[in-house]
């Protein structure tokens, strides 16, 4: 491997950790067939979105598109709980690391990107104005990756 690219890695670094039982509460909602509430619970407690932002998102067509993926929020919450802080081996990666972060993303993701860049000796943090709301802009990402791999 000659380079590593990360997009808004969701490490908490021990700060504002979600409740340990979050994955099981999300799974209970999925099992009960309440996928919408499972997604909302994940957004509220794992991502830290305020209720007003969640309500805005629920009113969009995009929300309907993520509801079928509710089971994946259980996996996301479980992984985030199990690996809240990068391991020493992760931090010691000996290749150039580019950490991409949207200029207008969720605060905990911005904080995580900054902490990770500071902790990794070969890391560069790139703030992408085109990437908004934890949605990586494909054109901006392609431009950044191409420049770093050239």
């Amino acid at each position: 491997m000659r380079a590593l690219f990360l997009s808004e890695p969701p490490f908490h670094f021990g700060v504002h950790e979600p409740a340990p039982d979050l994955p099981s509460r999300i799974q209970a909602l999925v099992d009960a067939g309440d996928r919408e509430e499972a997604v909302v619970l994940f957004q509220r407690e794992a991502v830290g979105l305020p209720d007003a932002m969640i309500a805005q998102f629920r009113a969009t067509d995009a929300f309907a598109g993520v509801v079928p993926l509710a089971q994946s929020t259980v996996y996301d919450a479980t992984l985030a709980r199990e690996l809240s802080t990068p391991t020493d081996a992760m931090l010691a990666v000996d290749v150039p690391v580019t950490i991409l972060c949207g200029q207008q993303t969720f605060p905990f993701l911005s904080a995580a990107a900054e902490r990770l860049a500071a902790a990794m000796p070969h890391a560069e943090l790139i703030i992408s104005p085109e990437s908004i709301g934890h949605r990586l802009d494909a054109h901006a990402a392609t431009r950044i990756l191409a420049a770093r791999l050239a």
Side-chain angles (χ1 to χ4, degrees):
M1 177 172 48
R2 63 183 191 133
L4 179 63
F5 295 89
L6 304 171
S7 178
E8 298 185 358
F11 293 112
H12 281 271
F13 288 88
V15 178
H16 304 297
E17 296 281 349
D21 69 340
L22 180 60
S24 62
R25 288 187 290 130
I26 297 170
Q27 185 65 61
L29 289 168
V30 170
D31 292 345
D34 200 349
R35 293 177 178 275
E36 286 188 13
E37 286 306 313
V39 170
V40 167
L41 180 59
F42 178 79
Q43 291 174 327
R44 181 179 294 120
E45 294 190 26
V47 179
L49 294 183
D51 286 336
M53 187 177 282
I54 293 170
Q56 282 181 319
F57 183 52
R58 281 186 98 152
T60 68
D61 292 337
F63 183 75
V66 300
V67 169
L69 305 175
Q71 183 66 57
S72 71
T73 64
V74 177
Y75 307 138
D76 288 348
T78 301
L79 288 171
R81 185 191 73 217
E82 296 296 321
L83 194 57
S84 170
T85 300
T87 66
D88 289 342
M90 290 173 164
L91 295 175
V93 168
D94 195 24
V95 297
V97 177
T98 302
I99 302 168
L100 302 171
C101 189
Q103 190 169 18
Q104 299 175 42
T105 192
F106 309 136
F108 111 83
L109 293 172
S110 294
E114 291 169 8
R115 285 185 187 109
L116 186 60
M120 295 186 82
H122 303 287
E124 173 187 25
L125 175 60
I126 302 290
I127 305 298
S128 172
E130 301 92 342
S131 296
I132 297 172
H134 195 50
R135 287 186 303 267
L136 182 65
D137 181 86
H139 296 291
T142 300
R143 185 180 67 248
I144 293 164
L145 271 65
R148 303 266 164 333
L149 293 173

